[in-house]
Amino acid sequence: AQSVSQHNHHVILSEAASLELGCNYSYGGTVNLFWYVQYPGQHLQLLLKYFSGDPLVKGIKGFEAEFIKSKFSFNLRKPSVQWSDTAEYFCAVTPRRGYQKVTFGIGTKLQVIP
Amino acid sequence: TAGITQAPTSQILAAGRSMTLRCTQDMRHNAMYWYRQDLGLGLRLIHYSNTAGTTGKGEVPDGYSVSRANTDDFPLTLASAVPSQTSVYFCASSDTGGTYNEQFFGPGTRLTVL
């Protein structure tokens, strides 16, 4: 079975600082990778996803993530965060073949200080 | 399009009582899921259904049951609630026949068991 590890559980940044949230997964086969965001009091929404092709994927609101297969990583980045990026971020993985469940990391809470 | 709706939005329940959390989707997705979200534990899968008429156990199924009589509805039942079931419950759906298995989430139900 697959698993996901998010290294930073709580991150505090000032506005305009750069962001990188770590995500590593374990699984022996090909995977689809996701980052979801949960704004305060809201449900999870898809931020970006990787299926195949260019390992650098761009999502909404200026976020991007890079899939490094050799490191089993899918780190989320943003060059300059805004106060409105305050939210909890979840990395998720699912094996590509067949009916497979999605496994989520425990999440990283990002607090952006104005 | 409503996407996924959940009811109730929140509920306070006495221990030992039963309750059904409702979930309805209008996207004709074949797969549906129930997660609970707890502080420091992220999202944990309770039960899932790959298609109408079938269900499966997730990571934390004890104390919960589900049914999938049709494509749209996926109710979660607590037969005899206990305080450890205090949590926020999210229903999700996905089209596993597609490429990405992206999950779409409902707004959640906040349940407090006293």
Side-chain angles (χ1 to χ4, degrees), chain B residues 1-81:
Chain B
T1 300
I4 296 181
T5 58
Q6 292 184 237
T9 302
S10 65
Q11 182 74 45
I12 299 174
L13 188 67
R17 300 295 295 270
S18 66
M19 179 173 182
T20 296
L21 280 61
R22 299 185 298 278
C23 173
T24 300
Q25 55 114 348
D26 63 2
M27 297 175 282
R28 308 302 293 173
H29 286 166
N30 56 316
M32 297 186 75
Y33 313 84
W34 273 105
Y35 295 90
R36 58 178 290 173
Q37 185 180 26
D38 302 287
L39 192 64
L41 298 176
L43 284 163
R44 293 182 292 169
L45 182 65
I46 304 171
H47 284 287
Y48 66 95
S49 169
N50 284 333
T51 189
T54 70
T55 62
K57 293 181 179 181
E59 184 182 353
V60 288
D62 294 343
Y64 306 95
S65 64
V66 293
S67 62
R68 187 87 183 277
N70 57 61
T71 297
D72 299 342
D73 301 300
F74 191 44
L76 176 73
T77 297
L78 289 68
S80 179

Side-chain angles (χ1 to χ4, degrees), chain A residues 32 34 36 38 42-44 46 49 51 88 90 94 99-102 104-106 109, chain B residues 30 35 37 39-43 45 48 50 90 96 99-103 105-107:
Chain A
N32 293 341
F34 308 85
Y36 285 84
Q38 185 179 29
Q42 297 187 26
H43 60 282
L44 276 77
L46 184 69
K49 60 194 174 193
F51 170 60
E88 191 159 15
F90 294 89
T94 182
Y99 291 127
Q100 300 284 358
K101 299 182 290 294
V102 177
F104 288 85
I106 67 169
K109 286 193 174 183
Chain B
N30 56 316
Y35 295 90
Q37 185 180 26
L39 192 64
L41 298 176
L43 284 163
L45 182 65
Y48 66 95
N50 284 333
F90 288 100
T96 56
T99 301
Y100 295 105
N101 198 14
E102 172 188 346
Q103 300 209 341
F105 285 83

Side-chain angles (χ1 to χ4, degrees), chain A residues 14-29:
Chain A
S14 298
E15 273 193 317
S18 64
L19 170 72
E20 181 160 3
L21 302 182
C23 172
N24 286 89
Y25 70 93
S26 67
Y27 183 71

Side-chain angles (χ1 to χ4, degrees), chain A residues 83-103:
Chain A
W83 175 80
S84 58
D85 293 325
T86 294
E88 191 159 15
Y89 294 81
F90 294 89
C91 182
V93 62
T94 182
R96 190 166 300 165
R97 289 191 300 171
Y99 291 127
Q100 300 284 358
K101 299 182 290 294
V102 177
T103 300

